[in-house]
Amino acid sequence: MKQVNEKKKWTPRRARRLASSILGHGFLTVLSIVWLFPIAWLIMQSFRGEPGAFTKYFIPKTWTLDNYIRLFTETHLFNFPRWFMNTLIVAIFSCLITTILTLLTSYAFSRLRFKARKPMMNVILILGLFPGFMSMIAIYHILKSVGLDQSLVALVLVYSSGAMMGYYIAKGFFDTIPKSIDEAALIDGATKNQVFWHIIMPMSKPIVVYTILTSFIAPWVDFIFVSVIMKDNYNMYTVALGLYQMLTRENIQQYFTEFCAGAVLIAIPITLLFIKMQKYYVGGVTAGGAKG
Amino acid sequence: MNKIKEVCAVIIETIGSIIGKMGRAFVNFFKHFAQGDKITKLSYVVMGAGCFLRGQKAKGFIYLGIQVCYILFMILSGGYYLSMLPTLGTNQQGEVWNEELQIYQVIKGDNSMLLLLFGVSVVLVTFGIFILYLMSVNTAYKNEVAVKNGEKLLSFKEEWNMLFNEKYHITVLALPVVLTFLFNVLPLIFTICIAFTNYDKMHQPPGNLFTWVGFENFTQVLYQNPLWATTFMRLLTWTLIWAFFATFLNYIFGMLLAMLINKKGIYLKKMWRTIFVITIAVPQFVSLLLMSKLLNDQGSLNNLLISLGWIEDYIPFLTKGNIAKITVIVINCWVGIPYSMLITSGILMNIPQDLYEASKIDGAGPIRQFFSITLPYMLHVTTPYLITQFMGNINNFNVIYLLTAGDPKSLNLYQAGETDLLVTWLYKLTVNEQNYALAATIGIIIFLLLSFISLVTYNNSNAVKGESDFQ
């Protein structure tokens, strides 16, 4: 009876709940505005008709698609379509190699028991403690000594070479699959190779998807290794470094709005992919991510 | 003190077990030689003899082939690079008067960098061959014992099949190990070596030579060179301050945001979450570069505030030392809060609700509940995550480099700005200043710092103990 009364009557408790709900929603709205403000600005700038890097006003006075069109037609200095193709090629190949190698490594560390297992995991842990690009100059010289510098193959190699180091998340996932399943298969005469491809893989769809997506995204957002490997060969750049190049002091006045257009084009698919895979991401970081 | 003792115990234990294993292998190596028959003894000189003389033809010839290749390699080039390793080259590039042609001729000198790179590679290859050699010797002895006991040796086909079953780990890990060696281990060892040379702007191959200088770079950066030492100390302090704030502010506020969205009576939970996730989903080089332009002295935010009449003159968000430091921490909240919101939101829902109900009956308010229930529970579960976050922030290159590039510059610092972290300093030293030796030294120091933190914290957190327990 009391509850029914509460719903109908305007009690102080109900008023307080309503107030806190309004306050909560209001606060979230303000935060959302703060968080989306720069992104809204990016999208508006990409449609801005007036030239120059900075304007004295926030909302563009003329709206145009020119920035997007110029991005694909004016290719003499900054060849965006070429960069896009470069990145796509690198992303596809490094994604293929990385996914297979990461999953195999994780499977080995999770399921197989061999003498070198613990030492190898320790070595990977130690390697991970060095700053990532500390050895970038050495990598460049190694690639150069075999004649691979300034080539897309070099990028594919560099991005896939980290495959083994990123085994943590997939291993965390494999660890949760009961061992009795593969033991049953082994007793039935399956080899470990068959167990991996026919039993573990079909059960690990989420982690396969996650590994594919993360390794596919990596080349789109890295600009450090590209700049070291490609030097000033603009035609071999990937989109991240190319767009970065548009904002240097010499170029920013002319290319700022084009940068925004390019950034929007790259950010949309990556954002969609990320939103799609966020649950795997969380699972990975909290479950297997931190364990050795 | 206890922690340090524990860490020491772990280190001593590890080293002890390694020495123990090596000692046993060493003893076995000679014991097997003494006990073995002629074929086994022969295989100490000719790799694989213990295999092909006992019928394992293919395996034996693979071992023999490896040995022949290695010897040829050492004679043709490997030996030369190995011999140049102690000096890193002695002939400097220069011009020599040619009497016959009556001109100065440029003669090619030694290239210290390539000598070091190939020298290190030869050492690593030799090490790998040595392990293969030990394996072949071991196999030879095992084969002898097996033959004596009347067992049949495995045929090549059987061993091949084992690669997909009992020895599947070799098949699986071969390619990743090779890639990791070529692009992670080898470059890293090379770079570590560089920290002990004088490879800087004045000693650039091929024009000039560089050579070993021992620990000089370390003593220079720690105290001998006043400019380097002040720069290092100030950047180290700022790096730690930054890592602390970047980790804990994001964590606390992210958790509060997650609690707000999780709260009863908030509608459209999924939409709110997605809004915040969008900001981490946008690639950092886009969102942070944009932020840096937005916060520029002439940028849109300043213009907007001026036109609204809230401020009279622009705010130097990124161009005054201390303001810039605060700005990067705040902007990092913008990047990091949604991230920790995403991570903590699921864990928050796992906290047993009866804890809250019980405390409510005892008269605890929301603030008391947060500090007595939520925070302790969360800290307990997410300690490993916090450690990795803290270490990640020490190396947080993207946020600093894309936002300020380490600026504003300072004359009191060597090739660094006010907001530079150690890791962005390392980058600048490599790319702008080409002081590879100092950069490598900084890299090693960062490594030592991180390993210290991880040793102390990981060995004390429960999550690491008993890794296979939950399988």
Side-chain angles (χ1 to χ4, degrees), chain B residues 197-445:
Chain B
T197 68
N198 57 355
Y199 188 7
D200 57 19
K201 216 174 191 171
M202 308 298 296
H203 301 88
Q204 290 284 330
N208 290 299
L209 300 168
F210 64 80
T211 188
W212 301 104
V213 294
F215 281 91
E216 200 187 309
N217 291 314
F218 289 87
T219 55
Q220 290 270 335
V221 80
L222 290 178
Y223 57 92
Q224 269 181 0
N225 185 329
L227 183 61
W228 290 9
T230 29
T231 313
F232 173 71
M233 279 322 289
R234 271 183 56 186
L235 294 193
L236 177 66
T237 323
W238 162 236
T239 304
L240 291 175
I241 294 173
W242 149 266
F244 179 81
F245 280 110
T247 309
F248 288 98
L249 283 184
N250 286 353
Y251 182 66
I252 298 285
F253 285 119
M255 195 156 51
L256 289 176
L257 180 64
M259 285 165 68
L260 180 62
I261 295 176
N262 284 352
K263 222 175 95 166
K264 258 185 242 160
I266 295 286
Y267 298 102
L268 302 167
K269 290 188 190 329
K270 212 173 168 190
M271 182 198 81
W272 296 117
R273 239 171 251 147
T274 311
I275 285 177
F276 292 103
V277 168
I278 286 175
T279 47
I280 27 175
V282 175
Q284 284 197 337
F285 80 92
V286 169
S287 62
L288 291 173
L289 270 180
L290 202 70
M291 272 293 194
S292 77
K293 302 305 163 205
L294 194 66
L295 297 169
N296 192 292
D297 288 350
Q298 282 85 44
S300 282
L301 191 64
N302 269 319
N303 281 327
L304 185 71
L305 292 176
I306 291 174
S307 65
L308 282 172
W310 290 1
I311 52 172
E312 299 216 325
D313 203 3
Y314 67 83
I315 304 172
F317 288 113
L318 300 171
T319 44
K320 272 261 158 55
N322 287 332
I323 299 179
K325 282 181 184 176
I326 296 170
T327 311
V328 289
I329 289 177
V330 171
I331 299 298
N332 188 57
C333 283
W334 181 81
V335 179
I337 286 178
Y339 185 77
S340 40
M341 185 268 302
L342 197 63
I343 302 292
T344 50
S345 136
I347 309 172
L348 279 168
M349 285 191 259
N350 289 341
I351 304 179
Q353 283 305 310
D354 45 341
L355 284 178
Y356 288 105
E357 275 150 31
S359 71
K360 209 172 175 183
I361 293 166
D362 290 343
I367 295 171
R368 183 74 205 277
Q369 281 179 337
F370 178 74
F371 283 106
S372 305
I373 302 172
T374 317
L375 201 57
Y377 182 91
M378 292 302 288
L379 282 177
H380 178 75
V381 178
T382 54
T383 314
Y385 167 75
L386 272 177
I387 299 168
T388 28
Q389 278 297 344
F390 187 80
M391 305 212 300
N393 275 321
I394 288 182
N395 275 339
N396 200 333
F397 178 82
N398 267 5
V399 172
I400 299 290
Y401 189 76
L402 292 173
L403 265 182
T404 66
D407 290 347
K409 292 197 174 59
S410 166
L411 283 177
N412 304 326
L413 302 175
Y414 174 72
Q415 293 294 327
E418 298 273 347
T419 54
D420 260 323
L421 302 178
L422 286 176
V423 71
T424 53
W425 191 35
L426 185 161
Y427 180 83
K428 284 179 174 177
L429 286 172
T430 313
V431 173
N432 307 340
E433 187 57 20
Q434 290 166 320
N435 195 337
Y436 301 123
L438 182 57
T441 312
I442 301 298
I444 292 177
I445 293 175

Side-chain angles (χ1 to χ4, degrees), chain A residues 25 35 41 171 175 192-193, chain B residues 165 168 300 334 467 471:
Chain A
H25 285 98
W35 252 263
W41 189 64
K171 176 181 177 285
D175 282 346
K192 285 184 177 162
N193 188 33
Chain B
N165 208 5
Y168 190 44
S300 282
W334 181 81
E467 174 229 350
Q471 271 186 27

